[in-house]
Amino acid sequence: MNTKKTTYHHGNLREVLISSALEILKEGTLQDLSLRALARKAGVSQTAPYRHFEDKEALIVVLIQEGSMILQNNMIEISETSDDPIKQLIDMGVGYYDFSQEHPAHFRLMFGGSLEDKEKHAHLFEQEKKGYDVLEAVVGKCLLQSEVKDLSPQMVRLSCWAHVHGLASLILNDVMNEDVPKGDNKRSVVREVISFYTRSIFEK
């Protein structure tokens, strides 16, 4: 594993530790992440990480919170760029894919079952729900202007999320299948696939 140290200045230890943790996860797996490995990566003493994180689980919680906030803010910003709810939904799907590419460590932690006792961290679900509420609002607008009246809003939300998340995960994990987009044009292919799926729901 690359042992390049993140620059540390007095007063920014927490930021350095978070950045170092993300580097470890980008280069390896969750099993490679420990507070001892984190100290080595950051170039600080073995006890330094404990000033901010009680244990590895506490660090993971902070990283999930950070990722959820980034994704939530992205979804809110994207939802405000157009008056057409179907376009909003498509753009949000592409934005979700962009998040998986730009923040792969956050993405894997958020949706990879990184925490054994989720009930212990109920506040994480409250944060995630804020992002899901944005999706709920946009899907509601799509249904209002759609001629398809027999669709369940809950099922539409779940199917849209599952579709986009599955596509993002396939590409992020570089699945060896000729149908999975690769190369420089994969983002444009992602938009085409999401657009096709979304419009097939609402534009009958």
Side-chain angles (χ1 to χ4, degrees), residues 14-57:
R14 188 176 189 275
E15 291 77 9
V16 168
L17 291 172
I18 290 175
S19 176
S20 297
L22 292 172
E23 288 181 18
I24 291 173
L25 292 171
K26 185 176 181 180
E27 297 164 0
T29 68
L30 186 59
Q31 284 66 43
D32 297 313
L33 180 63
S34 67
L35 295 190
R36 184 177 295 273
L38 183 58
R40 288 197 301 270
K41 185 71 172 177
V44 298
S45 70
Q46 295 293 324
T47 59
Y50 290 93
R51 300 177 197 170
H52 295 280
F53 309 108
E54 178 182 358
D55 50 25
K56 177 178 175 177
E57 184 178 78

Side-chain angles (χ1 to χ4, degrees), residues 6-189:
T6 303
T7 302
Y8 167 62
H9 299 286
H10 179 71
N12 72 334
L13 176 60
R14 188 176 189 275
E15 291 77 9
V16 168
L17 291 172
I18 290 175
S19 176
S20 297
L22 292 172
E23 288 181 18
I24 291 173
L25 292 171
K26 185 176 181 180
E27 297 164 0
T29 68
L30 186 59
Q31 284 66 43
D32 297 313
L33 180 63
S34 67
L35 295 190
R36 184 177 295 273
L38 183 58
R40 288 197 301 270
K41 185 71 172 177
V44 298
S45 70
Q46 295 293 324
T47 59
Y50 290 93
R51 300 177 197 170
H52 295 280
F53 309 108
E54 178 182 358
D55 50 25
K56 177 178 175 177
E57 184 178 78
L59 171 61
I60 291 173
V61 167
V62 169
L63 294 174
I64 291 176
Q65 285 179 314
E66 183 178 82
S68 295
M69 183 62 70
I70 293 171
L71 180 59
Q72 174 190 327
N73 290 339
N74 286 353
M75 293 298 99
I76 292 174
E77 182 178 343
I78 291 171
S79 70
E80 296 173 347
T81 59
S82 173
D83 293 328
D84 179 358
I86 293 180
K87 184 178 185 304
Q88 287 177 348
L89 192 57
I90 294 170
D91 289 344
M92 286 170 62
V94 177
Y96 190 96
Y97 161 77
D98 288 341
F99 172 78
S100 73
Q101 294 291 301
E102 295 167 6
H103 304 277
H106 286 110
F107 185 83
R108 289 191 171 105
L109 285 177
M110 290 164 62
F111 304 109
S114 306
L115 296 174
E116 295 183 4
D117 186 3
K118 292 186 176 181
E119 294 183 1
K120 180 181 175 182
H121 306 287
H123 62 285
L124 291 178
F125 296 105
E126 296 175 6
Q127 181 67 51
E128 292 172 1
K129 186 179 183 303
K130 293 178 181 178
Y132 199 72
D133 286 345
V134 180
L135 173 63
E136 180 178 12
V138 174
V139 167
K141 293 177 184 177
C142 289
L143 289 171
L144 284 176
Q145 75 167 32
S146 173
E147 296 182 1
V148 183
K149 304 300 182 184
D150 58 347
L151 294 177
S152 162
Q154 182 180 14
M155 293 307 299
V156 172
R157 292 194 300 272
L158 181 57
S159 64
C160 286
W161 182 25
H163 172 75
V164 172
H165 181 81
L167 184 59
S169 296
L170 287 171
I171 297 174
L172 182 62
N173 295 321
D174 196 24
V175 173
M176 300 302 292
N177 185 297
E178 61 182 12
D179 291 330
V180 180
K182 292 178 174 63
D184 296 337
N185 70 330
K186 57 187 174 183
R187 188 175 188 271
S188 61
V189 174

